[in-house]
């Protein structure tokens, strides 16, 4: 066996990569001196600088779970059309920027040829912010990448056209932690049973006090099973959040049938018009049904159809619902309000109707 | 089924037949995700697997296929790092490595991209080459926190891979109880609404906290996000413990000739429906038949709506800076927290002003180190200990902009002299 070669490199704790060398020359020249922008067509916009410069942007959706091959293809296009630069949006789209208007159409053609659809700017469905799932996470109940693919296949036209009242941001998460984030429509795993405990392995795999402390409702207690130290869950108290599973892999929260999906609407980060708002539960008990998740798609489709038909220009999902009221939202999206949609957790009373305001 | 490559898998005879001459094993369920019009990650993975013939890719696709069949996940965590660091690599071992030995190890590098996710092709090609040499070649662009995630490497290759990436200017991001990789909107690089140079502040702040990014020493994670205006395209307010969101303090800049151009193009009805009536504080007025608007800037809450609708006519004011909101986080465990206002306006133009912000953050982090419990985000600590106690401890002055309205209950206690009668 060869002796390992001596490590000569000394780590530089540099933090984020520097911006230097990462920006298009027109960007560098007009940095902080942009005047306004205009949408040219779906997925294409132009920014004008105070200098009079114009910078065109073409945005395309990606699979997010990319490969070096796809990234090199994107680099080829960036070299050819965008002078060797690109950036990504937080919803996984790639943006090419350049000053020469005549490059727009040939770039779009080449992007579509390698399967990357152009769109996702302004009042349309943006790509789904999603989590890792079965491909890489250690606590997932589903494969968020697969759900995202299935849902975007269905919403493909809504990504490429400008027919929504305002932006629609979607997210998918494979556990209730919801790393995918708050969104106009969020598709999030919902567990329905307390964890199943492997008493044989628990004390060897888990730090008991850590798992006990992780529970938000103090439902976990130490116990002894078959002479082994273990944990037990007060199933009355347990809110099936899955927090303990993250700390202790022997407290299996996932289940092929009992881990289901819930759909939430009205999350909004932006301060535009209404204040930022967290989302509300509107559908639950939806099966986790790979590889196409048709039941999830049906619910999301109905919600977006209703919003598209009823929303006024610039109204985000939450603002449309504020105007028409939740009762009509449930009617228009053909969903039913269930008792579990009444909040029963902390601050619950802030979501109760403390007035006589009712839409009959 | 002896001839199944890399062992494991569950393909039947017919599939094996169809798969002749291929490196990968059949994955009939995953193949379903190759249909449809949206770009398919499965197609990408399979093409890469066939080209590079990396056993890890075959094993991982086999295990993923198995997950799709059983509807369960099969990764467990562990502790893999590079020399001197305690975070930044997400460790993954297969729980069913007997079935899929080629998927035995599948660790992830979290890499911190440039602020705003800007790249040159030179930078990215370097990453691709290094990553193809040492790892699977899967690249997640990007994680929800903003990392460039290089998915799939074996432990014995991590140090060499890291060293090469580090020489090319890349560093690992955070994981666990550290400062996490930050995220920014496109900012002044290409947005007329940018009210501060969030990309510069992002770079400076995260470089300053590089040590705290690489070694988990906190109660829990701490996320910074930088949006250059209240549109908050980086989704800072609900996703970041520390959200720095651009704003302005003086009047919106109006160019009336461009207001006229807008009215000429879209009409007066649209002006009412989409601008005047949509202002949340009714700050905008327009006289029928004229081609101008007036804004009562004292009433404006800097929501961005009118600027978004008429970007050519309206711009943020000239006195620009940022608001600091803290405590944003998602569900676990107390429920969703939206960040709340801590400092309504800070100037962040000069290096000194950015330094001052970092000093304020240092003070806040010190307080959280002392006052927080294990696994408690700073917003939860503030709520548990009390906003008043927090403000006093870190030296931030109470301000009416921090609240929606003054309190509605009388149960507060003034400092008093307990020795007097
Ligand atoms: C041990 C299990 C966990 C795994 C495997 C995991 C994995 C991830 C990954 C891969 C990301 C994207 C990171 C990036 O962009 O670099 C992420 C983000 C996130 N994680 Fe986790 N995570 C775990 C635990 C948690 C916990 C316990 C919480 C809740 C406190 C949490 C909350 C989040 C949130 C809210 C995001 C989105 C963050 C953002 O928008 O910046 N995760 N997680
Ligand atoms: S947050 Fe504001 S400054 Fe940043 S990209 Fe969005 S609109 Fe532009
Ligand atoms: S920024 Fe918002 S609050 Fe201010 S005037 Fe415009 S619409 Fe009204």
């Amino acid at each position: 066996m060869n002796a390992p070669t001596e490590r000569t490199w000394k780590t530089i704790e540099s933090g984020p990569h520097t911006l230097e060398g990462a920006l298009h020359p027109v960007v560098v020249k007009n940095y902080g001196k942009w005047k306004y922008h205009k949408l040219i067509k779906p997925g294409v916009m132009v920014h004008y600088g105070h200098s009079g410069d114009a910078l065109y942007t073409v945005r395309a959706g990606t699979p997010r779970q990319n490969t070096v091959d796809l990234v090199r293809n994107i680099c080829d296009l960036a070299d050819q059309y965008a002078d060797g630069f690109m950036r990504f949006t937080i919803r996984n789209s790639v943006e090419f920027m350049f000053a020469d208007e005549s490059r727009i159409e040939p770039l779009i053609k080449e992007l579509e040829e390698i399967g990357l659809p152009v769109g996702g700017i302004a009042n349309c469905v943006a790509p789904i912010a999603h989590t890792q799932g079965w491909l890489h996470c250690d606590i997932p109940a589903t494969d968020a990448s697969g759900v995202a693919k299935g849902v975007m296949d269905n919403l493909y036209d809504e990504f490429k056209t400008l027919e929504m009242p305002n932006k629609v941001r979607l997210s998918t998460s494979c556990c209730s932690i919801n790393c995918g984030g708050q969104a106009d429509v969020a598709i999030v795993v919902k567990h329905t049973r307390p964890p199943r405990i492997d008493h044989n392995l628990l004390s060897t795999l888990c730090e008991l006090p850590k798992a006990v402390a992780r529970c938000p409702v103090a439902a976990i207690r130490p116990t002894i099973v078959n002479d082994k130290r273990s944990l037990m869950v007060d199933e009355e108290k347990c809110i099936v959040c899955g927090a303990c599973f993250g700390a202790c892999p022997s407290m299996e929260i996932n289940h092929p049938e009992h881990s289901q999906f819930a759909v939430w609407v009205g999350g909004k980060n932006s301060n535009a018009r209404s204040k930022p708002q967290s989302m509300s539960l509107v559908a639950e008990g939806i099966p986790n049904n790979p590889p196409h998740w048709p039941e999830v798609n049906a619910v999301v489709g109905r919600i977006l159809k209703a919003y598209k038909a009823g929303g006024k220009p610039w109204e985000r999902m939450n603002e449309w619902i504020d105007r028409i009221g939740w009762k009509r939202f449930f009617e228009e999206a053909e969903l039913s309000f269930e008792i579990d949609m009444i909040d029963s957790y902390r601050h619950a009373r802030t979501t109760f109707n403390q007035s006589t305001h009712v839409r009959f | 089924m002896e001839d199944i490559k890399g062992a494991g898998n569950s393909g039947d005879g017919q599939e094996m037949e169809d798969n002749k001459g291929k490196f990968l094993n059949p994955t009939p369920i995953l193949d379903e995700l190759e249909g449809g019009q949206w770009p398919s990650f499965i197609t990408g993975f399979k093409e890469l697997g066939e080209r590079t013939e990396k056993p890890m890719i075959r094993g991982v696709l086999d295990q993923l296929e198995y997950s799709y069949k059983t509807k369960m996940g099969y990764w467990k965590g562990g502790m893999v790092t590079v020399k001197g660091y305690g975070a930044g690599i997400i460790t993954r071992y297969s729980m069913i490595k007997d079935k899929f030995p080629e998927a035995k190890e599948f660790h992830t590098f979290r890499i911190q991209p440039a602020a705003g996710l800007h790249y040159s092709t030179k930078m990215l090609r370097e990453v691709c080459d290094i990553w193809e040499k040492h790892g699977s070649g899967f690249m997640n662009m990007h994680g929800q926190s903003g990392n460039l995630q290089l998915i799939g490497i074996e432990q014995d290759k991590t140090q060499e891979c890291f060293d090469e990436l580090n020489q090319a200017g890349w560093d690992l991001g955070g994981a666990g109880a550290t400062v996490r990789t930050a995220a920014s909107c496109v900012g002044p690089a290409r947005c007329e609404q940018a009210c501060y140079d969030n990309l510069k502040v992002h770079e400076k702040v995260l470089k300053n906290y590089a040590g705290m990014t690489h070694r988990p020493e906190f109660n829990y994670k701490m996320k910074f996000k930088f949006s250059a205006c209240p549109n908050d395209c980086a989704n800072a307010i609900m996703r970041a413990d520390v959200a720095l969101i651009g704003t302005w303090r003086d009047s919106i800049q109006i160019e009336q000739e461009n207001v006229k151009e807008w009215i000429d193009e879209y009409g007066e009805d649209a002006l009412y429906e989409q601008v005047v009536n949509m202002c949340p504080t009714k700050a905008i007025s327009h006289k029928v038949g004229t081609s101008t608007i007036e804004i009562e800037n004292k009433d404006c809450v800097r929501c961005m709506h009118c600027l978004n609708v008429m970007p050519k006519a309206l711009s943020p004011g000239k006195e620009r800076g940022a608001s600091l909101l803290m405590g944003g986080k998602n569900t676990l465990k107390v429920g969703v927290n939206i960040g709340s206002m801590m400092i309504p306006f800070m100037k962040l133009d000069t290096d000194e002003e950015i330094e001052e912000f970092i000093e304020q953050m240092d003070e806040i982090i010190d307080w959280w180190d002392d006052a927080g419990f294990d696994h408690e985000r700073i917003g939860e600590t503030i709520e548990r200990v009390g906003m008043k106690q927090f403000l006093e401890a870190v030296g931030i002055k109470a301000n009416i902009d921090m609240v929606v309205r003054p309190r509605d209950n009388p149960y507060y206690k003034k400092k008093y002299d307990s020795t007097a009668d």
Side-chain angles (χ1 to χ4, degrees):
Chain A
M1 220 176 106
N2 292 335
T5 45
E6 190 75 25
R7 177 172 182 251
T8 49
W9 178 251
K10 203 166 162 304
T11 302
I12 299 174
E13 287 199 47
S14 47
H17 197 288
T18 51
L19 261 185
E20 217 180 297
L23 298 177
H24 190 281
V26 177
V27 166
V28 174
K29 183 178 160 208
N30 294 278
Y31 194 94
K33 290 178 260 176
W34 295 104
K35 162 83 180 120
Y36 72 104
H37 77 280
K38 219 168 66 187
L39 191 68
I40 296 181
K41 61 182 212 171
V44 185
M45 60 184 165
V46 55
H47 284 77
Y48 295 102
H50 287 288
S51 64
D53 288 350
L55 182 71
Y56 297 89
T57 299
V58 172
R59 184 184 289 178
T62 72
R64 187 177 96 118
Q65 308 288 13
N66 300 341
T67 63
V68 287
D69 290 349
L70 177 64
V71 172
R72 286 181 183 128
N73 283 341
I74 289 172
C75 286
D76 287 344
L77 292 180
D79 280 337
Q80 196 180 340
Y81 294 99
D83 310 292
F85 298 92
M86 83 212 80
R87 78 171 286 267
F88 287 78
T89 69
I90 62 160
R91 304 194 109 68
N92 325 310
S93 294
V94 59
E95 292 185 334
F96 301 89
M97 298 175 224
F98 44 88
D100 177 359
E101 192 177 358
S102 70
R103 293 182 187 172
I104 296 173
E105 292 309 322
L107 172 58
I108 293 178
K109 189 159 164 280
E110 291 214 38
L111 281 165
E112 304 265 349
E113 271 167 22
I114 62 167
L116 302 185
V118 172
I121 301 180
N123 52 320
C124 60
V125 171
I128 302 187
H130 66 94
T131 52
Q132 297 292 63
W134 289 328
L135 174 66
H136 198 262
C137 186
D138 61 347
I139 54 171
T142 191
D143 193 43
S145 311
V147 179
K149 159 75 175 143
V151 172
M152 286 314 286
D153 277 343
N154 265 10
L155 298 176
Y156 186 79
D157 291 338
E158 300 299 348
F159 172 81
K160 297 190 60 157
T161 52
L162 297 165
E163 290 175 5
M164 288 290 168
N166 199 342
K167 310 178 184 313
V168 179
R169 291 184 155 149
L170 307 172
S171 74
T172 307
S173 298
C174 20
C175 76
S176 301
I177 290 172
N178 187 21
C179 307
Q182 297 283 316
D184 292 290
V185 183
I187 306 155
V188 185
V189 159
K190 171 74 183 109
H191 303 298
T192 61
R193 304 272 170 110
R196 293 173 287 160
I197 300 177
D198 182 344
H199 295 293
N200 270 329
L201 286 178
L202 194 142
S203 63
T204 56
L205 288 178
C206 311
E207 285 178 53
L208 275 62
K210 241 193 172 141
V212 169
R214 195 62 65 86
C215 179
V217 292
I220 305 176
R221 281 200 304 269
T223 184
I224 296 199
V225 179
N226 297 333
D227 291 336
K228 285 188 174 143
R229 292 189 321 124
S230 189
L231 295 171
M232 61 175 291
V233 170
D234 178 341
E235 301 203 347
E236 272 300 304
K237 274 191 179 172
C238 171
I239 52 169
V240 297
C241 69
C244 53
F245 184 50
C248 174
S250 298
M251 303 183 73
E252 178 64 78
I253 190 78
N254 293 317
H255 188 286
E257 306 310 323
H258 304 317
S259 294
Q260 303 175 337
F261 270 114
V263 172
W264 304 70
V265 304
K268 169 175 174 284
N269 286 271
S270 162
N271 287 272
R273 300 168 305 283
S274 55
K275 286 184 177 180
Q277 192 176 302
S278 55
M279 54 207 192
S280 299
L281 176 65
V282 297
E284 48 134 13
I286 308 169
N288 177 23
N289 194 1
H292 296 302
W293 290 275
E295 299 84 356
V296 167
N297 263 306
V299 170
V300 173
R302 289 209 301 275
I303 292 169
L304 290 181
K305 189 167 157 232
Y307 168 64
K308 185 175 172 178
K312 291 185 178 170
W314 297 98
E315 268 179 351
R316 285 283 289 271
M317 180 73 68
N318 66 318
E319 294 162 334
W320 167 60
I321 298 169
D322 273 355
R323 177 168 57 79
I324 67 170
W326 281 104
K327 181 158 51 187
R328 229 180 93 204
F329 166 82
F330 276 91
E331 281 165 21
E332 309 239 321
E334 297 165 52
L335 296 168
S336 61
F337 182 78
E338 310 286 346
I339 187 159
D340 284 325
M341 294 173 186
I342 295 172
D343 197 349
S344 57
Y345 200 47
R346 305 182 193 191
H347 319 304
R349 243 164 50 95
T350 60
T351 59
F352 297 171
N353 184 0
Q354 297 171 317
S355 75
T356 59
H357 294 199
V358 172
R359 289 172 166 90
F360 290 110
Chain B
M1 292 283 132
E2 268 84 71
D3 59 342
I4 292 178
K5 293 155 280 189
N9 201 273
S10 53
D12 63 22
Q14 183 56 44
E15 279 152 6
M16 295 312 297
E17 198 58 32
D18 295 346
N19 209 45
K20 266 218 173 91
K22 296 256 170 64
F23 172 75
L24 300 175
N25 290 313
T27 49
I29 308 178
L30 298 184
D31 294 355
E32 294 273 318
L33 288 168
E34 295 196 84
Q37 288 175 293
W38 191 255
S40 167
F41 64 109
I42 294 298
T43 303
F45 288 175
K46 284 174 64 180
E47 286 173 3
L48 184 74
E50 291 297 341
R51 180 177 72 73
T52 60
E53 303 204 341
K54 286 186 191 255
M56 180 194 277
I57 298 184
R58 180 164 63 194
V60 165
L61 286 178
D62 288 346
Q63 182 176 314
L64 187 59
E65 171 81 8
Y66 189 67
S67 279
Y68 269 73
K69 194 162 147 188
T70 59
K71 302 207 275 182
M72 291 294 282
Y74 297 101
W75 298 110
K76 61 178 181 200
M79 194 62 212
V80 172
T81 53
V82 293
K83 287 199 174 69
Y85 285 13
I89 298 178
I90 309 303
T91 309
R92 288 293 174 259
Y93 296 105
S94 173
M95 283 159 40
I96 46 174
K97 63 175 191 302
D98 294 341
K99 213 171 171 59
F100 304 114
E102 291 176 327
K104 189 165 147 253
E105 285 182 77
F106 191 58
H107 314 307
T108 286
F109 272 46
R110 286 185 174 173
I111 302 289
Q112 292 192 56
L117 308 177
H118 295 274
Y119 293 94
S120 70
T121 55
K122 181 171 169 291
M123 287 159 60
L124 254 189
R125 284 184 201 281
E126 262 174 3
V127 175
C128 289
D129 293 348
I130 296 168
W131 184 236
E132 181 169 343
K133 186 164 132 200
H134 300 285
S136 69
F138 292 1
M139 293 169 79
N140 176 284
M141 295 180 81
H142 294 82
Q144 292 312 317
S145 303
N147 283 295
L148 168 55
Q149 299 191 112
L150 306 178
I151 306 183
I153 189 167
E154 284 146 0
Q155 178 164 13
D156 61 5
K157 298 181 179 149
T158 49
Q159 187 66 49
E160 207 180 326
C161 183
F162 171 75
D163 286 350
E164 286 182 30
L165 287 165
N166 195 229
Q167 282 170 64
W170 304 94
D171 194 4
L172 292 185
T178 67
V179 166
R180 297 297 188 91
T181 299
S184 285
C185 71
V186 68
R190 196 207 52 206
C191 187
E192 68 270 19
Q193 316 287 24
C195 294
Y196 77 105
D197 190 346
N198 61 326
L199 305 181
K200 176 174 158 188
V201 176
H202 173 158
E203 197 173 307
K204 263 188 118 64
V205 170
L206 269 285
K207 277 192 191 303
N208 179 75
Y209 289 128
M212 295 179 185
T213 308
H214 298 136
R215 283 166 286 273
E217 286 166 1
F218 292 159
N219 303 312
Y220 201 13
K221 61 177 88 167
M222 173 160 276
K223 296 180 178 175
F224 285 81
K225 286 194 181 2
F226 306 91
S227 279
C229 87
N231 279 324
D232 193 2
C233 295
N235 292 359
I237 194 163
M238 273 191 272
R239 318 195 71 161
D241 302 277
V242 185
L244 211 46
I245 302 180
T247 189
W248 66 95
R249 207 152 49 167
D250 53 346
S251 302
I252 291 176
Q253 305 183 60
I254 309 182
E255 289 180 4
Q256 296 291 3
E257 69 275 17
N258 292 326
V259 173
K260 177 170 187 308
E261 189 184 293
W262 194 96
I263 298 171
D264 290 346
E265 186 172 351
Y266 299 97
E268 205 169 18
D269 285 349
L271 182 73
Y272 276 112
E273 283 161 18
Q274 296 183 30
V275 185
V276 176
N277 295 345
M278 281 200 150
C279 171
T281 52
K282 307 279 172 281
I284 306 174
S285 54
H286 165 75
K287 287 208 175 62
V288 183
T290 66
S291 54
T292 58
I293 59 170
E294 302 298 326
I295 297 179
E296 183 50 82
N297 282 282
K298 285 201 174 67
D299 292 339
C300 166
V301 287
R302 280 86 184 148
C303 84
M304 290 306 293
H305 173 71
C306 59
L307 297 96
N308 293 340
V309 181
M310 316 179 123
K312 192 173 178 188
L314 305 178
S315 313
K318 289 182 176 153
E319 198 187 340
R320 299 179 182 192
S323 302
L324 171 68
L325 292 96
M326 286 188 58
K329 58 172 286 300
N330 223 323
T331 41
L332 199 69
K333 301 177 287 192
V334 300
V336 182
N337 269 2
I338 300 178
S340 56
M341 181 64 83
M342 293 295 166
I343 302 183
F345 190 84
M346 262 181 295
K347 289 208 73 73
L348 286 164
D349 297 332
T350 62
D351 287 350
E352 293 74 54
E353 285 161 350
I354 300 172
E355 274 307 317
E356 261 172 57
F357 166 68
I358 292 174
E359 278 164 29
Q360 178 71 71
M361 280 317 305
D362 286 342
E363 206 153 333
I364 290 172
I365 291 171
D366 278 350
W367 173 82
W368 178 52
D369 260 346
D370 289 344
F373 291 159
D374 180 48
H375 214 258
E376 189 179 56
R377 298 280 284 271
I378 190 163
E380 296 169 287
T381 312
I382 294 172
E383 193 168 342
R384 178 176 54 77
V385 176
M387 180 79 136
K388 178 177 163 188
Q389 285 77 355
F390 167 72
L391 294 176
E392 285 175 352
V394 302
I396 299 178
K397 222 168 145 293
N399 183 304
I400 186 78
D401 293 319
M402 290 174 178
V403 294
V404 175
R405 55 177 250 206
R407 68 191 298 150
D408 68 351
N409 72 70
Y411 304 127
Y412 59 90
K413 193 161 74 185
K414 290 249 172 259
K415 280 213 172 66
Y416 62 96
D417 179 0
S418 56
T419 59
D421 342 296

